[in-house]
Amino acid sequence: MSIQGVIQKVQTYYPQADVQLVQQAYLFASTAHQGQHRRSGEDYIVHPLEVATILAELQLDVVTIAAGLLHDVVEDTSFTLEDLERAFGAEIALLVDGVTKLSRIEYKSKMEQQAENLRKMFLAMAKDIRVILIKLADRLHNMRTLKHQPEEKQRECAQETLEIFAPLAHRLGIFRLKWELEDLSLRYMEPERYYELVQNISMKRQEREEFINHVIKILKEKLDEVGIDADIQGRPKHFYSIYNKMVKQGKELGEIYDLIAVRVVVESVKDCYGALGMIHAQWKPIPGRFKDYIAMPKPNMYQSLHTTLIGPSGEPFEVQIRTWDMHRTSEYGIAAHWRYKEGKNGDKDFDAKLTWLRQLLEWQRELKDAREFMESLKIDLFSDRVYVFTPKGDVVELPAGSVPLDFAYRVHTAVGNQCVGAKVSGRIVPLDYRLQTGDIVEILTSKTGRPRRDWLNIVQTSQAKNRIRQWLKKEQRDELVAKGREMLERETDKKGWYTAEALKNSNLQEAAKRFNIPTVEDLLATVGDGGLTPLQVMAKLKEAVPGLVTEAPAPLPSVKPWSGYGKPSQGIRVRGVDNVVVRLSRCCNPVPGDDIVGYITRGRGVSIHRSDCPNIAHHHDNELERIIEVAWDLEAEAIYQVHIEAVAVDRPRLAMDIMTTIADTKTIINSVHARATRNNLATVDLKIEIKSLDHLNYITEKVKRIKDVLEVKRVTPS
């Protein structure tokens, strides 16, 4: 297609068009892209020309066509948006900016880049819908020439087209573009299935055409008899639509009803229903296969009567009946109602037709995460839809799989928050009931009703999810703050801190700053919600407030009097016994300074346990006569194994720093085991050899001073 061909197309539907603007845009684009070539080897200018041709086929205004010619100038040449605005004005510059990718910004991931490009495009769409019309034309030509790209790029581009752009064309009602985008995507996503489908359909083409011609002949005769002037044609088959039905419904090709379809275009709505009556009188309709999109148009403005019938030879076929205006809308969608064509508002309902787009932008505004944005976009905008009614008869459109709660939040946030039940077509249903097209939904509310956290697992729409999260966050904040303060007070009391002094607002504010948390309330709520542990906050309080009172000094170990005890054995004296075999129990690993008791074993002497050892408590209950008093001989030198545990903020070299600190004290480490736990914490278990309780206390104090260590304790038997 040459630029003259584009101009001639424009003049066929808009004779008064300013074609000089189109010519100027072409010359500018030719100069900008001079020397550039596409992967196919063609001059780059061929691509903008083809985009302009597609826009002209949609019968769009000259400003849109000029922007289509210039759409890659900013992204792929040295010219800037300011250059375009100086040459062609702000309107064209806005359209070009809307379709220009954010390619000069670095992103963490490809998904994040895709999400931000789509976000930018949707924002531009909200200002001027022509942005997406240009983008769809651009994508269609890229798909037509996709064979020149590497296989990986083909699949990537086809998948994005199938997930984003084809559904967007559907929502805008531009079926002319939608069908081709879907078929081309299928060709590259599932090449074997695509060509198999093409071959199978073409094999029966002659048989199908004979059937359609026979039906058209009968229809023409019958409609002429009742005075209805109609244009009757076979409806073209779209491979992706057939493939999708086969996959979703698990059917074979021969079981798909609309393989054979006829379209009847008449002059008026009255003629539509008149033709329907005549057709139903001629052939038997299949129950449940009639749809009246004239009385209840789709949100993308599509209107038609659809009916499926049993044909002359018993084969099912579909008939679509519509007026010429409806036919034009079904082909061109939003472009058929374009208000800029005459330079004025040609369709006063135009803004209402784009309400869904503005709602979409409002719902997505809070989604910062790229993955969440993409998933939410596919659900809210591009999934299959259900159409349900309010009790007053208003139609509400929702994604397939939606439940009454989604409906409630679509009606109003307050209705959703106060929902206590739902009725569908007059009967009570559970809140996780999946709505079906045609359901009449009534929401039961109560002033005492309130959202529950498990609703997040039920609802489908991002609008409902966001509203529920907002409510839960707001209503539960006070509870979380109180819980967080209580957890901190309990932990500081446990550690022997002066709690009132330590948890003053000024101190907590300093700790909050070190977590990059703006307020004390936010800090306490984070602790209450489990995002931070009290130990982590206490560690930051130590850093933030020099001289803060910490743990009370540990009580001095109690040592029993020596009178009446026998001679020492392995640092232990047993009351009334000399030279007895003494064994330190491994279950609790007592060390000098621990309160200890002895247990007389059968043939192995006396085993020494800590007084709080669960094993000895059990013996206290059953074998009291075996318990004997023992005491430490503080003058004896011996080595004891102790199990200690350090809890810290997880980081590289944490275990190595702890081991180095202990090794520097000339203490032997027998074993080390480090593991990551929840909330970005880590636990390091060590078994070390010590000489006394003082030695152990010295080691634990050294480890506590290591960066990011929150707590060090001796592990006691459980």
Side-chain angles (χ1 to χ4, degrees), residues 169-209:
H170 175 82
R171 289 303 302 268
L172 295 169
I174 312 172
F175 290 97
R176 171 181 285 221
L177 300 189
K178 178 205 171 185
W179 300 127
E180 191 175 354
L181 287 171
E182 287 180 339
D183 285 356
L184 287 168
S185 296
L186 179 62
R187 176 180 167 185
Y188 292 103
M189 289 287 291
E190 298 278 355
E192 291 182 11
R193 299 289 297 273
Y194 174 81
Y195 288 112
E196 181 185 349
L197 195 59
V198 172
Q199 184 179 6
N200 289 341
I201 289 175
S202 64
M203 282 170 64
K204 293 190 175 182
R205 177 174 293 166
Q206 184 177 352
E207 179 184 330
R208 221 170 33 250
E209 286 177 355

Side-chain angles (χ1 to χ4, degrees), residues 488-707:
L488 273 172
E489 287 174 352
R490 192 162 56 240
E491 195 65 35
T492 52
D493 283 344
K494 180 180 169 185
K495 295 294 184 188
W497 288 27
Y498 295 109
T499 297
E501 175 68 23
L503 301 186
K504 287 196 311 187
N505 261 23
S506 57
N507 292 345
L508 289 173
Q509 184 64 57
E510 289 301 315
K513 284 180 184 176
R514 281 164 165 72
F515 287 111
N516 292 319
I517 294 175
T519 67
V520 170
E521 278 198 351
D522 290 330
L523 175 68
L524 294 173
T526 305
V527 173
D529 200 28
L532 290 171
T533 66
L535 287 173
Q536 286 174 296
V537 176
M538 290 167 70
K540 294 298 180 184
L541 281 170
K542 279 186 181 180
E543 288 180 20
V545 188
L548 184 69
V549 177
T550 58
E551 295 90 341
L556 292 171
S558 62
V559 180
K560 293 183 178 180
W562 296 111
S563 61
Y565 284 79
K567 294 179 181 179
S569 175
Q570 295 190 42
I572 301 288
R573 290 178 182 267
V574 180
R575 178 179 286 277
V577 182
D578 283 339
N579 299 320
V580 68
V581 176
V582 172
R583 181 174 57 86
L584 297 177
S585 173
R586 291 187 180 180
C587 59
C588 54
N589 289 326
V591 298
D594 284 337
D595 192 15
I596 54 176
V597 296
Y599 176 74
I600 302 169
T601 65
R602 289 183 173 89
R604 289 186 298 162
V606 177
S607 66
I608 308 301
H609 293 260
R610 285 165 53 182
S611 297
D612 58 359
C613 177
N615 291 331
I616 208 67
H618 170 73
H619 291 308
H620 268 303
D621 294 337
N622 299 298
E623 298 172 301
L624 291 174
E625 70 278 3
R626 288 172 175 257
I627 304 300
I628 188 169
E629 287 188 53
V630 294
W632 296 102
D633 179 7
L634 296 183
E635 294 179 1
E637 287 192 7
I639 299 298
Y640 307 90
Q641 181 170 277
V642 177
H643 183 183
I644 64 171
E645 178 183 271
V647 179
V649 177
D650 196 10
R651 62 170 173 82
R653 292 188 56 81
L654 173 67
M656 186 63 70
D657 288 350
I658 292 173
M659 291 169 64
T660 302
T661 299
I662 295 174
D664 287 346
T665 67
K666 303 293 190 287
T667 299
I668 294 173
I669 302 171
N670 289 333
S671 71
V672 179
H673 177 66
R675 64 188 185 278
T677 60
R678 293 187 303 168
N679 298 320
N680 195 35
L681 296 181
T683 299
V684 182
D685 290 308
L686 302 107
K687 289 183 179 176
I688 59 175
E689 293 185 356
I690 57 105
K691 298 176 182 178
S692 66
L693 196 60
D694 287 341
H695 183 185
L696 176 62
N697 290 337
Y698 174 71
I699 297 295
T700 55
E701 287 301 319
K702 291 279 284 184
V703 175
K704 281 180 184 178
R705 289 197 287 270
I706 297 171
K707 182 176 179 290

Side-chain angles (χ1 to χ4, degrees), residues 341-577:
K341 278 184 184 172
E342 304 300 329
K344 60 185 179 182
N345 290 349
D347 187 345
K348 60 186 178 184
D349 296 327
F350 188 84
D351 284 329
K353 290 180 173 67
L354 293 178
T355 302
W356 61 269
L357 173 59
R358 292 178 179 85
Q359 284 178 340
L360 170 78
L361 290 169
E362 181 185 337
W363 300 335
Q364 310 299 329
R365 193 170 291 135
E366 299 169 8
L367 300 178
K368 305 297 183 189
D369 180 72
R371 185 179 297 277
E372 192 178 356
F373 173 80
M374 293 300 294
E375 291 306 312
S376 173
L377 189 66
K378 291 169 190 175
I379 292 170
D380 279 340
L381 186 59
F382 306 137
S383 64
D384 291 337
R385 321 301 288 176
V386 293
Y387 304 93
V388 297
F389 295 93
T390 67
K392 293 183 179 180
D394 296 326
V395 180
V396 175
E397 178 202 8
L398 293 164
S402 292
V403 298
L405 285 170
D406 293 298
F407 175 89
Y409 279 101
R410 182 65 56 87
V411 172
H412 197 279
T413 300
V415 175
N417 287 343
Q418 295 178 1
C419 175
V420 292
K423 285 184 179 180
V424 170
S425 303
R427 63 185 179 87
I428 298 284
V429 297
L431 291 179
D432 60 357
Y433 166 83
R434 286 180 176 264
L435 297 174
Q436 309 294 321
T437 294
D439 283 346
I440 300 170
V441 187
E442 180 185 355
I443 300 299
L444 308 176
T445 61
S446 167
K447 288 184 179 179
T448 59
R450 54 195 304 176
R452 302 198 309 265
R453 187 168 292 277
D454 64 327
W455 284 7
L456 292 170
N457 300 322
I458 297 172
V459 296
Q460 295 295 308
T461 61
S462 62
Q463 179 197 19
K465 280 186 169 70
N466 289 340
R467 297 295 178 265
I468 294 167
R469 285 193 188 109
Q470 285 173 5
W471 190 92
L472 291 172
K473 189 175 179 182
K474 181 181 177 183
E475 292 297 314
Q476 293 182 358
R477 182 176 175 78
D478 290 345
E479 295 176 22
L480 291 174
V481 169
K483 182 180 176 184
R485 186 175 289 279
E486 183 184 334
M487 290 167 67
L488 273 172
E489 287 174 352
R490 192 162 56 240
E491 195 65 35
T492 52
D493 283 344
K494 180 180 169 185
K495 295 294 184 188
W497 288 27
Y498 295 109
T499 297
E501 175 68 23
L503 301 186
K504 287 196 311 187
N505 261 23
S506 57
N507 292 345
L508 289 173
Q509 184 64 57
E510 289 301 315
K513 284 180 184 176
R514 281 164 165 72
F515 287 111
N516 292 319
I517 294 175
T519 67
V520 170
E521 278 198 351
D522 290 330
L523 175 68
L524 294 173
T526 305
V527 173
D529 200 28
L532 290 171
T533 66
L535 287 173
Q536 286 174 296
V537 176
M538 290 167 70
K540 294 298 180 184
L541 281 170
K542 279 186 181 180
E543 288 180 20
V545 188
L548 184 69
V549 177
T550 58
E551 295 90 341
L556 292 171
S558 62
V559 180
K560 293 183 178 180
W562 296 111
S563 61
Y565 284 79
K567 294 179 181 179
S569 175
Q570 295 190 42
I572 301 288
R573 290 178 182 267
V574 180
R575 178 179 286 277
V577 182

